[in-house]
């Protein structure tokens, strides 16, 4: 049991570490773009893609209910 808990703790630590590194990289890129004056250009180019992704995620979550499993909406496969 102790080994299982250690493995789960290590897995959580690795996942949390990856999220922290990703956040730091994103912050560094945003700061670099802001200092060079290109942040507004990047926002203008990525805004339509971000809105489309949010709409797609909303549509996907809108059609799903907690009582029905995922496979039933696809013909039982």
């Amino acid at each position: 049991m102790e080994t299982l808990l250690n493995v789960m703790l290590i897995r959580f630590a690795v996942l949390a570490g990856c999220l922290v590194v990703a956040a730091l990289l994103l912050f560094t890129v945003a700061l670099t773009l802001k200092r060079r004056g290109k942040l507004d250009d990047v926002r203008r180019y990525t805004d339509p893609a971000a809105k489309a992704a949010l709409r797609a995620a909303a549509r996907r979550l809108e059609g799903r209910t907690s009582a029905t499993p995922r496979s039933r909406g696809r013909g039982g496969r």
Side-chain angles (χ1 to χ4, degrees):
M1 186 68 172
E2 183 181 347
T3 305
L4 177 65
L5 291 174
N6 285 338
V7 169
M8 289 175 57
L9 183 63
I10 291 170
R11 188 178 72 178
F12 175 74
V14 168
L15 181 63
C18 289
L19 288 175
V20 167
V21 168
L24 285 173
L25 284 173
L26 185 64
F27 177 74
T28 304
V29 168
L31 188 64
T32 303
L33 288 171
K34 185 174 181 178
R35 285 185 179 174
R36 292 185 181 179
K38 307 244 183 209
L39 188 60
D40 290 331
D41 295 337
V42 172
R43 280 185 184 164
R44 187 176 55 229
Y45 290 132
T46 58
D47 190 42
K51 286 182 181 180
L54 286 174
R55 279 194 301 265
R59 272 186 271 131
R60 180 176 286 183
L61 291 174
E62 187 177 275
R64 190 180 297 171
T65 61
S66 62
T68 60
R70 292 181 189 178
S71 62
R72 289 197 180 183
R74 298 183 185 133
R77 287 188 248 161

